[in-house]
Amino acid sequence: MKTGIGTDVDFAAEILIKGGLVAVPTETVYGLAGNALNEVAVTEIFKVKSRPAFDPLIVHVSGADKVATYASEIPESAYQLMESFWPGPLTLLLKKKPFIPDLVTSGSDLVGLRHPVHPITNRLLSIVEFPLAAPSANPFGYVSPTTAKHVEDQLGGLIPYILDGGPCTVGVESTIVGFRESGCIIYRLGGISVESIEKITGKVKMISDQNNRPDAPGMLTSHYAPGKPLFFGLPDELFREYPATGSAFLCLSAKGIDIPDGIVFYELSSAGDLDEASRNLFSVIRKLDNSDCERILASVFPEQGLGRAINDRLKRASAKRE
Ligand code: TXA
Ligand code: MG
C-alpha cells in the first residue's frame, strides 16, 4: 500500500467512511484514526500499531454536546473540565453507552473521550459524523509522532493516507482524568497541567505507577521509549555515571549546567519555557535515536506545569523493557 500525505479532508473522510484508517493531526500528537463504532476498523488499528488488545483506545468527538451520546453518568466536574479545557489535551474516562464496542475500551465499562483542537481533524469529525478511535500513530511502546513525517517514517506503507496538519503545538499526549465519588483522578499526566485541573476541581489524586494490567497502559513502566538506551536523572549524576564519548545530553536549558567536553547537548527550550520544551520533546528524542550517539542522557525537568508530563515520559522512556 502506498501512503499518501496531504491536506485533503474529503479524501480522508471517504477512507474512514469505508472503514479504513487515516493518520490525523491533533494538538498533542498524531493519531491513527478509524471509525470507533466499526469493529473492523478498530481491529485494524490494533493490528497496524501491534498494540495489545488490553490497551483501550481514546475516542475523539466533535464537541462536549456529543458526550451524552456516548457516555452516561456524567459528573458535574466532567462538565466543568470540558467547559474549561475542550477542545484541548484532556481525555475524560466516563461510563460508556453499550453500543460503543468493547473492543475500543478493552472490555472496560469506561470510555475515554476527547475533543481535540486541530481544525483539520475537527472538519473531518464534522464530515464523518461518527467518533474517531485514535491512539497515537506509532508502533506500540515507541515515541509518539508530532509531525506527518514521523508517522510516515513508521507507518508508511501500512495505512492509505496521512492528513498533514503541521507540527503538533502541545507535543505530549492528553491528560487522562477519571472520576470517583471521592474526586478526580489523574491516570496519565499530559498536555493540561495538574495545577490547571486542580483550579477547577480542587485537589486531585494521581494513580501511581503500575506495570501489569494497567488502568491506562500509558502508565506502563516502559513506554514512549526510543530504540537507544535513555538514562534519566540529575545532570551531575548522569555525567559521573556515563562516559562523555557517545553520549548526547537532553535538557531544558543548558544554562548553569557544567556539561563535560565531548557531550553533544540539546536544549528543549533555551528560554526555559516548559510549553516549548514539551512541543520539542518527541522530535528531539527521535532525532537523537536516529543520530550516531550511543546513549541519551536526559536531565530531570522542573516538576511543575508540563514539566511533570515531560518527566513522566522520560522516566518511562528510560525504564528497561520487560
Ligand atoms: O493526546 C492523546 O491522547 C493522543 C491523541 C491522538 O489524541 N492519543 C493517545 O492515545 O495518546 P494512546 O492510545 O497512545 O494512549 C491512550 C491512553 C492509553 O494508555 C489507554 O490505555 C488510555 O489512554 N485509555 C483509553 N481509553 C481508556 C479507558 N477506557 N480506560 C482506561 N484507560 C484508557
Ligand atoms: Mg500512545
Side-chain angles (χ1 to χ4, degrees):
M1 185 187 304
K2 184 162 173 1
T3 303
I5 302 188
T7 55
D8 189 341
V9 180
D10 293 317
F11 179 57
E14 221 174 277
I15 296 171
L16 290 167
I17 288 164
K18 286 188 191 139
L21 308 186
V22 172
V24 299
T26 81
E27 77 284 30
T28 57
V29 300
Y30 274 70
L32 176 61
N35 178 353
L37 307 179
N38 175 337
E39 295 202 5
V40 175
V42 173
T43 304
E44 185 65 12
I45 293 178
F46 280 95
K47 206 169 102 197
V48 168
K49 265 193 75 103
S50 309
R51 181 174 177 113
F54 66 72
D55 188 355
L57 307 179
I58 292 176
V59 173
H60 297 70
V61 297
S62 58
D65 58 324
K66 289 288 193 309
V67 166
T69 309
Y70 305 119
S72 50
E73 297 176 26
I74 305 159
E76 187 49 36
S77 48
Y79 282 111
Q80 289 166 347
L81 288 170
M82 286 187 253
E83 170 86 27
S84 304
F85 302 118
W86 275 16
L90 177 71
T91 296
L92 303 178
L93 296 181
L94 296 167
K95 181 118 198 282
K96 81 176 182 83
K97 292 268 179 79
F99 70 88
I100 308 267
D102 287 336
L103 204 57
V104 172
T105 64
S106 303
S108 165
D109 60 356
L110 299 179
V111 60
L113 295 176
R114 165 163 127 78
H115 179 201
V117 170
H118 206 289
I120 284 194
T121 299
N122 276 294
R123 213 155 73 234
L124 188 63
L125 280 166
S126 70
I127 298 173
V128 298
E129 289 182 339
F130 45 72
L132 291 174
S136 52
N138 52 278
F140 183 71
Y142 193 72
V143 183
S144 297
T146 53
T147 66
K149 173 79 170 59
H150 293 165
V151 181
E152 189 192 28
D153 288 346
Q154 293 190 303
L155 302 186
L158 298 178
I159 53 174
Y161 197 59
I162 300 169
L163 255 184
D164 189 351
C168 299
T169 54
V170 173
V172 290
E173 301 83 350
S174 59
T175 304
I176 302 181
V177 176
F179 305 89
R180 296 220 184 125
E181 257 162 47
S182 52
C184 294
I185 300 190
I186 295 192
Y187 286 86
R188 177 176 74 180
L189 292 161
I192 302 283
S193 68
V194 176
E195 294 91 326
S196 310
I197 289 173
E198 287 189 331
K199 271 193 201 135
I200 308 295
T201 62
K203 193 93 189 117
V204 296
K205 272 208 207 120
M206 309 277 299
I207 288 286
S208 61
D209 287 8
Q210 34 189 313
N211 206 1
N212 294 321
R213 197 191 181 299
D215 285 329
M219 300 295 289
L220 283 167
T221 311
S222 169
H223 212 73
Y224 312 104
K228 296 227 165 100
L230 185 148
F231 303 98
F232 175 54
L234 295 169
D236 288 349
E237 287 171 11
L238 292 170
F239 298 149
R240 222 175 301 133
E241 198 158 340
Y242 300 98
T245 313
S247 291
F249 176 60
L250 180 82
C251 59
L252 175 60
S253 149
K255 261 182 230 115
I257 303 178
D258 195 7
I259 301 174
D261 290 343
I263 295 195
V264 196
F265 68 90
Y266 291 80
E267 296 177 301
L268 294 189
S269 168
S270 54
D273 175 351
L274 291 167
D275 293 353
E276 183 184 17
S278 94
R279 202 153 46 237
N280 292 332
L281 177 69
F282 290 148
S283 310
V284 171
I285 292 181
R286 272 175 193 260
K287 189 150 80 187
L288 293 177
D289 211 14
N290 295 323
S291 76
D292 54 11
C293 75
E294 286 166 34
R295 71 191 76 76
I296 304 169
L297 309 182
S299 164
V300 174
F301 280 60
E303 189 64 12
Q304 66 191 55
L306 294 199
R308 294 193 209 214
I310 295 174
N311 282 335
D312 172 82
R313 300 306 186 268
L314 289 173
K315 192 164 105 207
R316 292 175 207 287
S318 73
K320 287 225 167 43
R321 270 159 257 191
E322 292 178 5

PDB file of all heavy atoms in Angstrom, residues 9 15 21 23 41 55 70 95 138 194 240-241:
ATOM      1  N   VAL A   9      -9.139  16.677   3.195  1.00  0.00           N
ATOM      2  CA  VAL A   9     -10.020  16.177   4.258  1.00  0.00           C
ATOM      3  C   VAL A   9     -11.129  15.295   3.686  1.00  0.00           C
ATOM      4  O   VAL A   9     -11.509  14.286   4.293  1.00  0.00           O
ATOM      5  CB  VAL A   9     -10.626  17.354   5.054  1.00  0.00           C
ATOM      6  CG1 VAL A   9     -11.535  16.855   6.161  1.00  0.00           C
ATOM      7  CG2 VAL A   9      -9.521  18.213   5.657  1.00  0.00           C
ATOM      8  N   ILE A  15     -12.087   7.524   3.059  1.00  0.00           N
ATOM      9  CA  ILE A  15     -11.397   6.311   3.551  1.00  0.00           C
ATOM     10  C   ILE A  15     -12.031   5.849   4.864  1.00  0.00           C
ATOM     11  O   ILE A  15     -12.330   4.665   5.054  1.00  0.00           O
ATOM     12  CB  ILE A  15      -9.889   6.590   3.770  1.00  0.00           C
ATOM     13  CG1 ILE A  15      -9.209   6.929   2.441  1.00  0.00           C
ATOM     14  CG2 ILE A  15      -9.199   5.415   4.456  1.00  0.00           C
ATOM     15  CD1 ILE A  15      -7.776   7.434   2.578  1.00  0.00           C
ATOM     16  N   LEU A  21      -8.297   3.364   7.641  1.00  0.00           N
ATOM     17  CA  LEU A  21      -7.611   4.170   8.660  1.00  0.00           C
ATOM     18  C   LEU A  21      -6.889   5.361   8.035  1.00  0.00           C
ATOM     19  O   LEU A  21      -6.356   5.264   6.935  1.00  0.00           O
ATOM     20  CB  LEU A  21      -6.577   3.337   9.412  1.00  0.00           C
ATOM     21  CG  LEU A  21      -7.028   2.017  10.028  1.00  0.00           C
ATOM     22  CD1 LEU A  21      -5.887   1.428  10.864  1.00  0.00           C
ATOM     23  CD2 LEU A  21      -8.283   2.197  10.875  1.00  0.00           C
ATOM     24  N   ALA A  23      -4.137   8.658   9.380  1.00  0.00           N
ATOM     25  CA  ALA A  23      -3.445   9.335  10.480  1.00  0.00           C
ATOM     26  C   ALA A  23      -3.882  10.797  10.473  1.00  0.00           C
ATOM     27  O   ALA A  23      -3.969  11.419   9.412  1.00  0.00           O
ATOM     28  CB  ALA A  23      -1.936   9.226  10.323  1.00  0.00           C
ATOM     29  N   ALA A  41     -12.639  -1.646  11.606  1.00  0.00           N
ATOM     30  CA  ALA A  41     -11.678  -0.535  11.625  1.00  0.00           C
ATOM     31  C   ALA A  41     -10.874  -0.562  12.931  1.00  0.00           C
ATOM     32  O   ALA A  41      -9.648  -0.392  12.929  1.00  0.00           O
ATOM     33  CB  ALA A  41     -12.415   0.795  11.472  1.00  0.00           C
ATOM     34  N   ASP A  55      -5.100  -2.732  25.743  1.00  0.00           N
ATOM     35  CA  ASP A  55      -4.831  -1.286  25.805  1.00  0.00           C
ATOM     36  C   ASP A  55      -5.925  -0.515  25.066  1.00  0.00           C
ATOM     37  O   ASP A  55      -5.938  -0.448  23.839  1.00  0.00           O
ATOM     38  CB  ASP A  55      -3.460  -1.031  25.163  1.00  0.00           C
ATOM     39  CG  ASP A  55      -2.988   0.397  25.350  1.00  0.00           C
ATOM     40  OD1 ASP A  55      -3.756   1.209  25.894  1.00  0.00           O
ATOM     41  OD2 ASP A  55      -1.855   0.693  24.944  1.00  0.00           O
ATOM     42  N   TYR A  70     -22.454   9.250  23.859  1.00  0.00           N
ATOM     43  CA  TYR A  70     -21.571   8.082  24.012  1.00  0.00           C
ATOM     44  C   TYR A  70     -21.367   7.652  25.470  1.00  0.00           C
ATOM     45  O   TYR A  70     -20.905   6.552  25.715  1.00  0.00           O
ATOM     46  CB  TYR A  70     -20.198   8.389  23.392  1.00  0.00           C
ATOM     47  CG  TYR A  70     -20.324   8.832  21.952  1.00  0.00           C
ATOM     48  CD1 TYR A  70     -19.886  10.092  21.535  1.00  0.00           C
ATOM     49  CD2 TYR A  70     -20.923   7.988  21.016  1.00  0.00           C
ATOM     50  CE1 TYR A  70     -20.040  10.496  20.214  1.00  0.00           C
ATOM     51  CE2 TYR A  70     -21.082   8.385  19.706  1.00  0.00           C
ATOM     52  CZ  TYR A  70     -20.637   9.637  19.309  1.00  0.00           C
ATOM     53  OH  TYR A  70     -20.805  10.027  18.010  1.00  0.00           O
ATOM     54  N   LYS A  95     -18.511   6.476  31.987  1.00  0.00           N
ATOM     55  CA  LYS A  95     -19.249   5.216  31.776  1.00  0.00           C
ATOM     56  C   LYS A  95     -19.756   5.184  30.340  1.00  0.00           C
ATOM     57  O   LYS A  95     -20.403   6.137  29.885  1.00  0.00           O
ATOM     58  CB  LYS A  95     -20.410   5.198  32.775  1.00  0.00           C
ATOM     59  CG  LYS A  95     -21.246   3.988  32.722  1.00  0.00           C
ATOM     60  CD  LYS A  95     -21.180   3.263  34.069  1.00  0.00           C
ATOM     61  CE  LYS A  95     -21.638   1.838  33.943  1.00  0.00           C
ATOM     62  NZ  LYS A  95     -23.070   1.680  33.889  1.00  0.00           N
ATOM     63  N   ASN A 138       1.956   5.521  16.321  1.00  0.00           N
ATOM     64  CA  ASN A 138       3.300   4.943  16.375  1.00  0.00           C
ATOM     65  C   ASN A 138       3.167   3.476  16.731  1.00  0.00           C
ATOM     66  O   ASN A 138       2.160   3.077  17.320  1.00  0.00           O
ATOM     67  CB  ASN A 138       4.118   5.658  17.478  1.00  0.00           C
ATOM     68  CG  ASN A 138       3.391   5.665  18.803  1.00  0.00           C
ATOM     69  OD1 ASN A 138       2.526   6.506  19.024  1.00  0.00           O
ATOM     70  ND2 ASN A 138       3.688   4.711  19.676  1.00  0.00           N
ATOM     71  N   VAL A 194      -1.504  19.534  35.977  1.00  0.00           N
ATOM     72  CA  VAL A 194      -2.227  19.201  37.211  1.00  0.00           C
ATOM     73  C   VAL A 194      -2.728  20.489  37.875  1.00  0.00           C
ATOM     74  O   VAL A 194      -3.875  20.566  38.339  1.00  0.00           O
ATOM     75  CB  VAL A 194      -1.291  18.447  38.187  1.00  0.00           C
ATOM     76  CG1 VAL A 194      -1.989  18.170  39.510  1.00  0.00           C
ATOM     77  CG2 VAL A 194      -0.797  17.159  37.563  1.00  0.00           C
ATOM     78  N   ARG A 240      28.602  11.709  35.870  1.00  0.00           N
ATOM     79  CA  ARG A 240      29.522  10.886  36.654  1.00  0.00           C
ATOM     80  C   ARG A 240      29.430   9.418  36.213  1.00  0.00           C
ATOM     81  O   ARG A 240      30.412   8.713  36.132  1.00  0.00           O
ATOM     82  CB  ARG A 240      29.169  11.003  38.147  1.00  0.00           C
ATOM     83  CG  ARG A 240      30.397  11.115  39.030  1.00  0.00           C
ATOM     84  CD  ARG A 240      30.032  11.357  40.495  1.00  0.00           C
ATOM     85  NE  ARG A 240      29.256  12.569  40.713  1.00  0.00           N
ATOM     86  CZ  ARG A 240      28.149  12.651  41.457  1.00  0.00           C
ATOM     87  NH1 ARG A 240      27.654  11.582  42.052  1.00  0.00           N
ATOM     88  NH2 ARG A 240      27.523  13.802  41.624  1.00  0.00           N
ATOM     89  N   GLU A 241      28.206   8.979  35.925  1.00  0.00           N
ATOM     90  CA  GLU A 241      27.989   7.559  35.680  1.00  0.00           C
ATOM     91  C   GLU A 241      28.313   7.106  34.252  1.00  0.00           C
ATOM     92  O   GLU A 241      28.713   5.978  34.042  1.00  0.00           O
ATOM     93  CB  GLU A 241      26.534   7.225  36.007  1.00  0.00           C
ATOM     94  CG  GLU A 241      26.316   5.751  36.201  1.00  0.00           C
ATOM     95  CD  GLU A 241      25.063   5.476  37.023  1.00  0.00           C
ATOM     96  OE1 GLU A 241      24.586   6.397  37.739  1.00  0.00           O
ATOM     97  OE2 GLU A 241      24.565   4.354  36.934  1.00  0.00           O
TER      98      GLU A 241
END
